[in-house]
Amino acid sequence: MKTITVGEREIREAVTMAEAIDAVRRGFVDLARGAFEMPTRTALRDGQFLVMSAHHRPTASAMIKTLSLNFERKPAIAGTVVWSETGRLDHLVADAGAVTTLRTGAAIGVATDLLAAPEAGRLTLIGAGGQAPDQVRAVHAVRPLRRLTVVDADPRRAQALLEVLEPELAGVELRTAADAESAVQDAEIVCCATNATSPLFTEAALPAQVHVNAIGAYRPTMRELPDELLAGSTVVIDELDAILEESGEIIHALEAGAVTEDALIELGTALTAPSADRGKRTVFKTVGVAMQDWAVARLLAEKFLP
């Protein structure tokens, strides 16, 4: 029996964003079909430690991820992803930080490809932390960008992110902004990747047609989006049980009567009915589910295990 360890650099070299998006898209469809055994994740110390697991019945494969979160350190996400199969003895252990940012970006790519206007090319990204680069890469993979605006409380961090991404975004207009409210006014796609506890902008600040992705609020005490936006939009989520347990903005909106549980559409379900009219404003809210980690870990296993 061998245990193959895969670090961040090897993950980045082995898996492209396009491959990750395709794998996560297939995973969401399988999730909707009931192909996964996937408990709601365990959160300890108010979400500073997370344990996630998923078993894919058709392939008799499983993934377990254990990580710690600390936004005061770099990197903020650290831990391991372990891949196992009943059909082989060898295991794979991968860097959880790289897998998490890649799979979160991939989910945004899947949702944006489904929900954003076909010609959308102006992205406003709020939050320039560790998740931010893959948010941009994922959107760019499915909606080639014409303009990217990065909003962050620290303008130096926003500028540093643009410098990292510039070689990958030839021909894209790059800018920073200090105020989210004004930065979203003519955006066609908005990505929120912060640890905010109150909405980042008002519903009135957004244009009439826009797609909004929100990944940052993963605990009930956190919120990035206003109730009014959720009330007036088609709201697609990653997985209902996880959202009801962890998504601060959805929990708040449900309690306020702004949305109903029946109005929330799981992404896997939405993917199987892509012709449905979603309206001019769409929202994708994700807290992250273990299936996404399984999907990326499967790609790694295919590439690294003998």
Side-chain angles (χ1 to χ4, degrees):
M1 183 181 74
K2 294 181 180 178
T3 299
I4 307 298
T5 302
V6 184
E8 179 180 7
R9 180 182 59 80
E10 293 166 300
I11 293 169
R12 293 293 177 179
E13 291 176 351
V15 179
T16 67
M17 181 56 75
E19 287 177 314
I21 290 171
D22 185 54
V24 169
R25 181 185 289 111
R26 295 195 309 269
F28 271 113
V29 172
D30 268 6
L31 183 62
R33 292 172 175 164
F36 283 93
E37 180 182 1
M38 192 179 72
T40 302
R41 68 181 167 199
T42 300
L44 305 173
R45 196 178 171 88
D46 194 28
Q48 288 187 295
F49 295 99
L50 301 174
V51 180
M52 306 172 69
S53 59
H55 161 227
H56 188 241
R57 295 184 181 94
T59 57
S61 58
M63 181 286 315
I64 299 176
K65 180 172 79 170
T66 305
L67 56 78
S68 66
L69 288 170
N70 182 351
F71 295 106
E72 302 299 319
R73 75 180 183 203
K74 291 185 179 181
I77 301 171
T80 58
V81 169
V82 180
W83 170 269
S84 305
E85 299 172 56
T86 58
R88 72 167 101 197
L89 291 173
D90 296 336
H91 286 60
L92 180 137
V93 179
D95 176 76
V99 171
T100 300
T101 55
L102 184 59
R103 63 82 149 154
T104 306
I108 292 306
V110 174
T112 301
D113 193 29
L114 178 68
L115 299 169
E119 70 281 2
R122 296 193 300 269
L123 169 64
T124 293
L125 170 69
I126 307 174
Q131 294 271 18
D134 281 326
Q135 296 294 291
V136 176
R137 291 175 182 130
V139 172
H140 189 52
V142 298
R143 292 293 187 274
L145 295 176
R146 300 186 304 275
R147 191 183 76 196
L148 168 63
T149 303
V150 178
V151 182
D152 195 271
D154 183 349
R156 293 171 298 180
R157 191 162 75 156
Q159 185 59 44
L161 175 61
L162 291 183
E163 291 170 3
V164 168
L165 291 171
E166 186 174 13
E168 305 173 42
L169 300 174
V172 179
E173 180 185 355
L174 304 177
R175 23 164 112 165
T176 64
D179 176 52
E181 187 85 354
S182 59
V184 301
Q185 288 181 0
D186 66 345
E188 294 166 318
I189 302 168
V190 176
C191 286
C192 305
T194 74
N195 56 3
T197 55
S198 60
L200 299 169
F201 46 79
T202 64
E203 176 271 338
L206 292 164
Q209 181 167 0
V210 67
H211 172 63
V212 179
N213 298 303
I215 72 159
Y218 64 96
R219 299 298 296 149
T221 53
M222 304 169 77
R223 287 175 70 202
E224 293 184 304
L225 306 179
D227 290 345
E228 296 80 5
L229 171 62
L230 297 171
S233 304
T234 296
V235 180
V236 177
I237 59 173
D238 48 15
E239 198 265 340
L240 183 61
D241 288 345
I243 287 291
L244 295 180
E245 179 81 17
E246 298 179 337
S247 171
E249 48 265 280
I250 299 295
I251 292 169
H252 191 279
L254 287 168
E255 292 175 347
V259 298
T260 63
E261 199 173 307
D262 290 344
L264 304 174
I265 307 167
E266 291 187 334
L267 181 54
T269 301
L271 287 166
T272 62
S275 60
D277 181 15
R278 307 295 181 194
K280 289 188 174 297
R281 282 186 176 176
T282 54
V283 171
F284 175 58
K285 173 57 197 173
T286 174
V287 293
V289 292
M291 174 282 296
Q292 299 164 238
D293 301 291
W294 173 91
V296 173
R298 184 183 187 183
L299 290 176
L300 295 172
E302 290 170 352
K303 293 171 184 285
F304 288 99
L305 289 182

